[in-house]
Structure formats: C-alpha cells, structure tokens
Amino acid sequence: MVMRSMAVGVLCALVGVGCGGDDEEQTRSCSVAEQTGCAATQVCEEVEGAEPACFEPVTLKGRVYNSLDDKAIAGARVLARDANDAVISRVAVTKADGTYELAVPARRDANGAPVKADVTLRADALAYETFPRAPRVALPIDLSTAAGKPLSIASAATEIALLPLSDSEGLGSISGVVHADQPGGTLLVAGGATGAADLDGSYTIFNVAAGEVTVKGYAAGLALDTASATVSAGKETTGVDLHATGDATAVVSGKVEIVNASGGSATSVILVVADTFNEATARGETPRGLRQGNVSGEFSIAGVPDGEYVILAAFENDALVRDPDTSIGGTEIVRITVSGADQPVDESFKVTGALAVVSPGASMMDEVSGTPTFVFEDDSSEDLYEVTLFDALGAKIWENLEVPRVSGSEGVTVEYDGPALVSGMIYQFRATSKKDGTPISQTEDLKGVFLYK
C-alpha cells in the first residue's frame, strides 16, 4: 500500500496537483468510483499504467440558445454521454445568459494530460426540442484537446442551438428520482416526451402534454417500476420516483442480411422505445446499452427491459440503409413487445447500399443560403427519384415525386422550389430511387442535413 501511495504521490507532483492532502492516507484513498480522497476542487481520475490520482477536472464550457433568434435559454439541462449514450457527468443547468460549465471525467496519461476520448452532449429545455434528435447529431468532443489552467474546452461542439417547438401551449414537466444502482443515463419516457437521469438518478422530463401520464424508465439490464403523474400546463410535477425491481435479462436477437452494397460491410442495430418513434421520419430514442454495432449477420442485444420497441438497422452513417423495397420480405419496420422472456426475430432485416449524398450535408451539417440545390449519387438502375425535405422537428416541408432519371452523370441535381425556408432552422433532404414504382435505395438516415441562414 505504501508503494501504491508513493506512485500516486509522484504522479500528482509531476502534474502539479495534490491528492487530497499531504498525508499518505488521503493519497491512498483516492477513489474514482466514490470520488473520495481529493481536495474539494479536484476529482479522482483513472491514469494509464498507474493508480488513480487527483486532478483539476476537465470542464466543458458553452451556451444553449434559440436557433431562430440566438436568444439565451435559461434553465436548460446539459449532460455529457459516452459512445454508448451512458451519462458520464452530472447535469449542468444553464444560467440566465444560457451559459453552462460541465465537469467531465477524463482518463489521464502518465504526465496527467487527458487522453483521447470522445464525449457528446444532450440538452433539454421547456418548449424546445431535445438535442440531439435525428437528423441532428451531437458533434464528438475530444477530451484530449482540453487546454488552459484549469483545463477546459469551448468550441462549436459545446455550443447548442435548440429548436423551439411549433406549439408549446399545454405542456408541463415532470421530475423525480430513479432509485437504482448506476441510474445515470436512464431514459425516462412520459407520453412520448423524454428525459435522461443524472448520475444520482434525478431527472426532469420537459414538454409533457397536460393530463394523466405514465412515466417509464429504460436502460440495459435495469428493470424499473412505473409511476403515474398528473401534468398541468406550464407547471412542474415533482416527486415522481421510479424504483428498481431487479435485473432486466431478456435478449432480443435476429439477423441482418446485407444485399447490393458496394460500400458498407457492417452496420448497427438499435432498439427504439415505441412511444418515442416518429412514423414520418422512422426514428426515435434508444435507451442506454440497447444497441449492437459492427453487425454483418446475427445480432443479440441483452438486458432488455420490459416494454414495446421498434427495431431499426443501419441507422448510422455506414454507407448502408434499410432496404426500402417493401414488396420483399425483411423490409418492414419490426415492432416487438418484451415481457420478461427472450424475443427472437425470425425474419432477417434486409440492408442495402445507400445513395451517397454529395451536398449539402455529405459529412457535416453545412450552412446553406438562397435557394438550396440537392445533389446525390445516381442509381444506375432507377426509373425516377423522389426527393423530400423535412425540418428538424420531423415535419415534411416539400417533395418532388417525379425527379427524372439521369444518364451519363455521376450525380443527380435537384433545385428546391418549395415555400420559403426559415433562417436558423435545420433541414434534411432525403432522396429515394424507384424502379417500376418500387423503392430500391435511398440516402442515409443522418446525412443531407443543413442549417439554413
């Protein structure tokens, strides 16, 4: 134990910080899990090749604002998540000017510098759409880029523009606590509205329609009871707690069949809570842990709580999409109900190559002004194309259902001729190729996204 304490003490001396005091006992007791043994302003972090040590935290600094008028949003809840959507930070609540500071855990190297690790942000606020929600994605934030004293990151990825809901009248909020081991990141759902639990289990769900609702919680491996709440417009219903009832052990399994795909060779499968699924956009929210990546054949998702789900394949940008040809088997949206038992899906999910987006939104969310022009890869076997424009709230703004086929060209160009677009609004165009009236391919779920200025 003395050797361990000396190693930690030497490391802390090298990086110029203390480990909760000068005596050996405080140094030795530095605990990542319990965050003990460090000075009040420090946190206990994992260290590559050594025992945990105390450091000044890495802080994300940013602002939450209205995307349409740039006005600050006070009272928004911001938290950090890892690659599996598990919450890794406490919740930060934005100030009157919309700013926030969020301390996040960061693994360190032997010199005390944060090592490369990507995190993303989630933000919720009353009368605004949750961020991120497809087609909007949260930009990854590399913790190794933290700089200054104390270490912090302020970038485009920490600035969060929220979209105001088109109709927020009659909405209220619900708050409570998830009583369970490791409740952080639990997805809370009430009437289609969602929230995420803090590390201590506390949560708030904004934008719940007034009336009687049932609150449910979802996370891999976690079984929770449900709670009822009466929501009043413009008010917060407090004390709506959920409690662990045991472990969720059900397994959802099936098979993905990749056909006619020259680009992608593997994809992901996710379980979306049915109450959050949007029929128009074919998207919804996935609880922590209910995802399997790198799927090229069979998949198996364990620890699925009871509930109703929609299974989606090829949701991420992987050069693949769910086969849109509904005239053949394996292409329908699959819905399941889990009630304690395993749920094998007999029919395979057919996934095919995507139509590549050229612009806007091929690799990032572009800014567009004037009259947008949509450009995408030509499908050599098509008769025609359908091109549709959605706003980030999922509303269909415009469509052209008879874009003629092209020949001798690598790309298809379609000029927008619909209603005036709103400055500050985020949009996504989608293209579908058709042959003999049947869809055969389409652009990817998370591409073709742009900010209109």
Side-chain angles (χ1 to χ4, degrees):
M1 296 301 289
V2 173
M3 292 285 291
R4 170 182 171 178
S5 297
M6 289 176 64
V8 177
V10 170
L11 176 64
C12 292
L14 285 173
V15 298
V17 298
C19 281
D22 295 328
D23 64 90
E24 180 182 312
E25 181 62 31
Q26 286 180 306
T27 299
R28 184 182 62 188
S29 64
C30 174
S31 167
V32 173
E34 299 177 1
Q35 282 300 309
T36 57
C38 295
T41 61
Q42 296 175 342
V43 291
C44 188
E45 303 279 35
E46 295 181 351
V47 180
E48 292 185 328
E51 296 294 331
C54 298
F55 303 91
E56 295 299 323
V58 172
T59 301
L60 306 183
K61 298 181 179 181
R63 177 173 174 262
V64 179
Y65 60 94
N66 187 317
S67 66
L68 301 186
D69 58 17
D70 198 44
K71 290 183 178 179
I73 300 175
R77 291 168 57 91
V78 183
L79 49 78
R81 304 190 293 189
D82 66 14
N84 295 311
D85 286 343
V87 171
I88 60 171
S89 74
R90 301 301 303 268
V91 170
V93 178
T94 56
K95 301 176 182 177
D97 61 357
T99 60
Y100 69 89
E101 294 188 5
L102 185 66
V104 295
R107 186 179 176 88
R108 310 300 175 109
D109 64 18
N111 295 315
V115 301
K116 180 174 177 56
D118 289 339
V119 301
T120 60
L121 297 176
R122 171 175 171 140
D124 298 272
L126 186 64
Y128 291 88
E129 185 189 57
T130 291
F131 172 85
R133 179 166 292 170
R136 301 182 69 194
V137 295
L139 298 175
I141 302 168
D142 181 1
L143 297 183
S144 69
T145 63
K149 292 185 178 180
L151 291 170
S152 64
I153 300 175
S155 67
T158 63
E159 299 289 306
I160 305 175
L162 297 186
L163 292 165
L165 297 175
S166 57
D167 184 7
S168 60
E169 294 293 329
L171 301 180
S173 60
I174 298 172
S175 64
V177 177
V178 176
H179 296 278
D181 293 335
Q182 300 182 335
T186 300
L187 179 69
L188 285 304
V189 182
T194 66
D198 199 343
L199 293 178
D200 64 1
S202 61
Y203 75 89
T204 299
I205 306 175
F206 294 108
N207 307 314
V208 183
E212 297 288 334
V213 296
T214 299
V215 182
K216 301 177 182 179
Y218 301 86
L222 179 60
L224 295 167
D225 61 8
T226 62
S228 298
T230 302
V231 179
S232 299
K235 296 182 179 180
E236 179 180 359
T237 303
T238 62
V240 185
D241 293 358
L242 276 67
H243 302 81
T245 59
D247 297 330
T249 60
V251 176
V252 174
S253 59
K255 183 178 181 180
V256 168
E257 183 181 352
I258 300 176
V259 297
N260 298 325
S262 58
S265 59
T267 188
S268 62
V269 177
I270 60 176
L271 301 186
V272 169
V273 176
D275 284 346
T276 73
F277 186 67
N278 184 307
E279 296 285 350
T281 59
R283 292 161 183 163
E285 292 206 42
T286 300
R288 181 195 76 201
L290 300 189
R291 171 190 179 276
Q292 182 177 342
N294 198 33
V295 177
S296 57
E298 294 182 352
F299 69 88
S300 179
I301 301 175
V304 182
D306 288 355
E308 297 181 355
Y309 300 92
V310 176
I311 308 178
L312 299 179
F315 180 75
E316 296 155 353
N317 290 334
D318 50 19
L320 299 169
V321 293
R322 180 177 62 87
D323 195 325
D325 184 357
T326 56
S327 67
I328 60 177
T331 60
E332 295 289 341
I333 295 290
V334 176
R335 300 172 183 270
I336 61 170
T337 298
V338 175
S339 182
D342 293 348
Q343 288 289 316
V345 180
D346 295 330
E347 192 169 31
S348 62
F349 294 81
K350 285 190 171 60
V351 173
T352 190
L355 295 178
V357 170
V358 177
S359 67
S363 60
M364 59 182 295
M365 185 171 67
D366 295 324
E367 291 189 2
V368 174
S369 58
T371 301
T373 298
F374 310 130
V375 185
F376 54 92
E377 176 189 30
D378 178 35
D379 185 339
S380 60
S381 58
E382 91 292 352
D383 292 332
L384 56 81
Y385 297 94
E386 295 181 350
V387 179
T388 307
L389 184 70
F390 294 88
D391 67 20
L393 300 176
K396 183 166 66 177
I397 304 301
W398 167 87
E399 63 184 4
N400 183 340
L401 302 182
E402 296 185 355
V403 176
R405 64 175 301 182
V406 300
S407 59
S409 173
E410 295 183 355
V412 182
T413 300
V414 180
E415 186 171 297
Y416 176 74
D417 61 358
L421 301 183
V422 178
S423 179
M425 178 61 78
I426 294 170
Y427 297 92
Q428 181 193 35
F429 85 88
R430 296 191 216 166
T432 302
S433 59
K434 302 184 76 172
K435 184 176 179 62
D436 298 327
T438 299
I440 54 177
S441 187
Q442 57 191 17
T443 51
E444 291 194 74
D445 293 295
L446 299 178
K447 291 195 174 186
V449 180
F450 62 94
L451 172 66
Y452 190 75
K453 302 291 283 187

